[in-house]
Amino acid sequence: MNRFFIFLCLVLGLCANAQQPDIAKLGLKPPATPACTPVRDQSMSGTCWSFASNSLLEAELLRKGQAAEDLSEMFTARYSYIRKVYRYLETKGQVYFTPGGQFHDVLYVLRNYGMVPDEAYSGLTDNRKSHDHAELDTLMSRFVQTMLADGKTKPAEEDIKTIDQWLDRYLGEVPSTFSYKGKIYTPQSYAASLAIKPDDYIEITSYTHHPFYTNFVLEDKYNWTGDSYYNVPVEDLIKITQTALKKGFTVGWDGDVTEPTFRFQDGLAYLWQTPANLQQTRQRTFKSGETTIDHLMHIVGITTDNKGKTWYYVKNSWGTGNPADGYMYMREEYFNVKTVAVIVAKEAIGE
């Protein structure tokens, strides 16, 4: 009996390994894609939203004929952190206080504070080579909890001084002016030099608890600002994404990466089947919390495997240590179910 059980386990294990997808066996190769900037590494920081959003904006600059730029992820993260403190206290702790965020958080900072290149503000202090925000995140979280317990609905002047000191210590002081490519800029003048207009982009989702073709505030913990998304049927969400990619645009991706079949180490994200009623499944998994915005990435292309299945070619921000050099291939079934929202230039969909 024991020998049979061991034999059965071995057989099942071999079958499971045989079914495990592999980039080479699937015949997947990087598709021809619009120009984009290199893969970068968010390392030990909760700033995928800033990396993915900057990557999208950098690709947009290239599409519009501007030179390649490396925009500072930590410039955006710093100002967003301060905004989160105000928002958390205003709502008496009713929003999620984490380092996470969304594409619209980057646009907010761009509108209100400007932008800087990474070489002017890397967010790396004490000769660090990679981002590690564990201590900063802990300090900030404990501090807002203390302020909330003290009954504060906004930080006092001395609280802001304390927060700025921590941000200076862990991310560095923000330059008021800086020299870049032979010119002197402020964050505002540098932002003005970029061919980026925040109003040119739209965040699109697909859920049935709000009417289609209307805007609604997406009920996700990382949408801490209460921003609105445009709601469309899932067929439109898929069509908008694929049309944009085929037109030479790239697309931001908000979605769930908690599935065991999201495998960065293999460069693949897949589900075996699309459910019979895709819209209902999306709604059920969103309402149950099975699907949430856990991660943001940047879709730069689309391709097919050797059986004709569609895969999206996605730029991640976890470094280059996987078989796809930091990219991932996301199978259409995974995209269809686990995508919460996409970000796209309105120009790509004719708006």
Side-chain angles (χ1 to χ4, degrees):
M1 182 65 177
N2 288 338
R3 289 182 179 179
F4 177 76
F5 179 74
I6 293 171
F7 173 75
L8 182 61
C9 289
L10 288 171
V11 170
L12 291 174
L14 289 172
C15 290
N17 289 333
Q19 292 177 355
Q20 184 69 46
D22 175 89
I23 288 176
K25 291 178 181 178
L26 290 165
L28 291 170
K29 296 180 180 179
T33 63
C36 61
T37 51
V39 171
R40 301 189 176 99
D41 192 352
Q42 69 185 78
S43 195
M44 301 299 290
S45 75
T47 54
C48 62
W49 55 278
S50 186
F51 278 82
S53 299
N54 278 13
S55 181
L56 173 59
L57 296 178
E58 289 163 2
E60 280 288 280
L61 292 174
L62 292 171
R63 183 181 67 82
K64 294 179 179 183
Q66 283 200 225
E69 296 287 343
D70 181 1
L71 304 177
S72 170
E73 290 83 14
M74 296 308 148
F75 179 84
T76 302
R78 180 190 178 114
Y79 282 108
S80 292
Y81 238 143
I82 296 170
R83 188 183 178 203
K84 287 173 190 176
V85 171
Y86 279 94
R87 179 72 173 155
Y88 188 77
L89 296 179
E90 287 169 359
T91 62
K92 299 182 179 179
Q94 295 303 302
V95 297
Y96 203 56
F97 188 85
T98 74
Q102 296 295 300
F103 178 75
H104 51 252
D105 299 327
V106 175
L107 297 186
Y108 178 89
V109 173
L110 187 64
R111 285 190 185 100
N112 291 277
Y113 300 99
M115 180 57 75
V116 300
D118 193 75
E119 73 173 55
Y121 192 73
S122 67
L124 295 170
T125 59
D126 300 327
N127 296 315
R128 292 179 180 175
K129 301 299 182 183
S130 61
H131 301 289
D132 186 346
H133 293 178
E135 289 184 9
L136 174 61
D137 293 343
T138 299
L139 283 171
M140 294 289 285
S141 179
R142 289 176 178 173
F143 195 50
V144 295
Q145 293 296 333
T146 298
M147 286 189 284
L148 185 66
D150 290 341
K152 294 181 179 180
T153 56
K154 66 178 181 179
E157 185 176 343
E158 61 270 21
D159 297 327
I160 292 298
K161 287 181 180 178
T162 298
I163 291 168
D164 277 333
Q165 288 172 356
W166 287 340
L167 293 173
D168 286 348
R169 174 185 171 188
Y170 288 98
L171 301 181
E173 295 184 30
V174 176
S176 57
T177 62
F178 56 91
S179 176
Y180 181 64
K181 295 183 179 179
K183 296 183 179 180
I184 302 298
Y185 290 98
T186 66
Q188 292 78 9
S189 65
Y190 176 71
S193 76
L194 304 175
I196 299 171
K197 295 180 180 179
D199 291 340
D200 288 348
Y201 301 90
I202 186 170
E203 292 168 299
I204 303 173
T205 191
S206 178
Y207 292 108
T208 59
H209 63 296
H210 292 279
F212 289 137
Y213 309 115
T214 63
N215 291 297
F216 77 94
V217 175
L218 184 65
E219 305 94 339
D220 187 276
K221 61 187 178 182
Y222 291 118
N223 185 22
W224 54 273
T225 57
D227 274 52
S228 293
Y229 290 64
Y230 190 64
N231 197 33
V232 300
V234 66
E235 293 82 5
D236 287 359
L237 182 74
I238 296 166
K239 183 178 179 181
I240 287 167
T241 302
Q242 295 191 0
T243 298
L245 294 170
K246 290 172 182 177
K247 284 183 177 180
F249 292 81
T250 62
V251 178
W253 182 86
D254 285 356
D256 190 296
V257 299
T258 61
E259 292 292 326
T261 50
F262 183 96
R263 301 176 60 84
F264 177 74
Q265 67 272 26
D266 297 327
L268 297 171
Y270 55 90
L271 297 178
W272 291 114
Q273 292 181 332
T274 294
N277 192 314
L278 177 56
Q279 194 77 68
Q280 285 184 6
T281 299
R282 286 179 53 82
Q283 188 65 29
R284 175 181 57 77
T285 57
F286 180 73
K287 295 295 284 186
S288 68
E290 295 173 57
T291 297
T292 60
I293 297 178
D294 302 302
H295 194 41
L296 271 74
M297 299 188 293
H298 181 199
I299 305 175
V300 301
I302 192 167
T303 189
T304 56
D305 62 20
N306 50 23
K307 293 185 178 180
K309 296 292 294 186
T310 296
W311 296 73
Y312 297 88
Y313 190 54
V314 188
K315 180 183 173 186
N316 203 353
S317 56
W318 293 351
T320 57
N322 76 348
D325 297 321
Y327 285 81
M328 297 190 68
Y329 294 90
M330 180 182 290
R331 191 159 136 161
E332 56 187 326
E333 289 87 354
Y334 196 101
F335 176 91
N336 294 348
V337 176
K338 306 305 288 185
T339 298
V340 176
V342 297
I343 303 103
V344 65
K346 294 176 182 178
E347 181 185 353
I349 54 177
E351 288 196 24

